[in-house]
DNA sequence: CATTTCTACAACCATATGGTTGCACGTTAC
DNA sequence: GTAACGTGCAACCATATGGTTGTAGAAATG
C-alpha cells in the first residue's frame, strides 16, 4: 500500500515542469542522465537532482550501462497516481448525485424521493 | 488552456496530506474554514493557508455565507489533473506497444534488426 | 452598546527546494 | 598511462514552504 508520504512525494515530483518533461522523455525511451541534461538550460547537477526526486517518488529507476546511467519509467507509479485522482473524482460524483436527490425532493415537496426537477 | 505554472500549482496543491484531506471533505460537502480547521492539530491560520493553496490551484473556491466562508470544490480542475496523468500513461502504453513490435520482429527474424546481441 | 465568532493578514522562524560551483571517482577512448 | 566523459556528492545561496503568534475587521448574538 501507499503511505501518505509516498503520495506526497509522488505529487511533489510531478509539481515541476522540468521533472514532468524528464518523465515524458523517460516514458518514450531510455536516456542517460547527461543526455537528458543536454535539453535543459541548467547545470548537469540540477538535472541530476530532478532525476533523484523522480526516483525517490518511484516514478523512474536508474540502471547502469557502462559508464552511463539509464533513466527508465516505472509505469505502476503513474497508474497509482491516476487512481488516486479517480478516487477523489468519484467522491465528487457521489456528491453531485446527492445534490440531485435533494433538488428532486424540494421540487415535488415530497418527503421520500419522487419525481424529477424540471430543468 | 493550462499553462505549465498552472499544472505546477495543481500538483503542488495535491502534494500535502492535510490539503488532500481538506479536498476530500470539500468534495463531499460544504464546510467553513473554521469547521475544517477543527479537524487538524494545527492553528486556524495554517489551515487557512492550506485552503489558499488549494484555491490558487483552482481546486476549490470560497463563497461567503454570512460571517463564514464556505469551501467548495472545483470539479473541472480535478478532471484536468486526471487527464494529465492519463496523457503520460498513454505515452507509456505506446512505448510498450513499440517494444512489443520490436520483440515480434526479432522473434520472427524480420529484416529490421537481425539477430540477438547475446553479449 | 459589548461580546463572541469567523475571517484576513502580517511578521516571524525553521526547514525544504531549486539552483549553482567544485571536486572525486569509475569508465571509455587514445 | 593520459585524457575525456558520465556520474555522485558536498557546500553554498536565494527563495519557497509550512508552521507559529498576534492584531484587526466584519458579522451574529447578548
Amino acid at each position: 500500500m501507499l503511505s501518505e508520504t509516498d503520495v506526497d512525494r509522488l505529487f511533489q515530483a510531478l509539481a515541476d515542469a522540468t521533472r514532468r518533461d524528464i518523465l515524458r522523455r523517460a516514458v518514450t525511451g531510455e536516456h542517460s542522465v547527461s543526455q537528458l541534461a543536454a535539453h535543459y538550460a541548467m547545470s548537469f547537477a540540477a538535472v541530476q537532482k530532478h532525476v533523484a526526486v523522480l526516483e525517490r517518488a518511484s516514478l523512474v529507476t536508474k540502471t547502469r550501462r557502462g559508464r552511463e546511467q539509464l533513466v527508465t519509467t516505472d509505469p505502476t507509479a503513474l497508474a497509482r497516481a491516476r487512481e488516486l485522482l479517480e478516487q477523489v473524482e468519484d467522491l465528487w460524483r457521489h456528491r453531485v448525485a446527492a445534490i440531485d436527490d435533494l433538488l428532486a425532493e424540494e421540487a415535488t415537496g415530497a418527503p421520500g424521493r419522487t419525481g424529477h426537477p424540471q430543468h
Side-chain angles (χ1 to χ4, degrees), chain A:
Chain A
M1 211 210 108
L2 280 195
S3 74
E4 286 294 297
T5 57
D6 286 339
V7 183
D8 287 358
R9 283 199 270 258
L10 205 144
F11 284 117
Q12 183 70 35
L14 291 171
D16 182 279
T18 303
R19 281 195 294 269
R20 288 193 300 274
D21 197 70
I22 291 177
L23 187 59
R24 281 186 216 104
R25 291 180 195 274
V27 156
T28 50
E30 292 185 332
H31 305 268
S32 71
V33 182
S34 56
Q35 280 174 332
L36 290 170
H39 294 93
Y40 310 104
M42 68 184 70
S43 69
F44 171 81
V47 175
Q48 209 174 13
K49 280 192 184 181
H50 282 306
V51 172
V53 172
L54 290 169
E55 201 177 7
R56 200 169 57 116
S58 304
L59 282 170
V60 303
T61 54
K62 288 191 297 184
T63 59
R64 271 221 107 76
R65 188 185 60 182
R67 67 181 161 186
E68 53 193 356
Q69 198 87 264
L70 296 183
V71 179
T72 63
T73 52
D74 182 348
T76 65
L78 288 177
R80 282 179 304 182
R82 198 170 61 95
E83 279 171 18
L84 285 169
L85 284 175
E86 276 177 351
Q87 285 176 21
V88 182
E89 252 197 315
D90 283 346
L91 278 177
W92 178 76
R93 286 199 207 94
H94 293 334
R95 180 196 168 202
V96 170
I99 289 176
D100 282 350
D101 286 351
L102 281 177
L103 289 175
E105 288 178 13
E106 288 174 5
T108 59
R113 99 165 30 160
T114 40
H116 277 287
Q118 61 275 35
H119 84 280

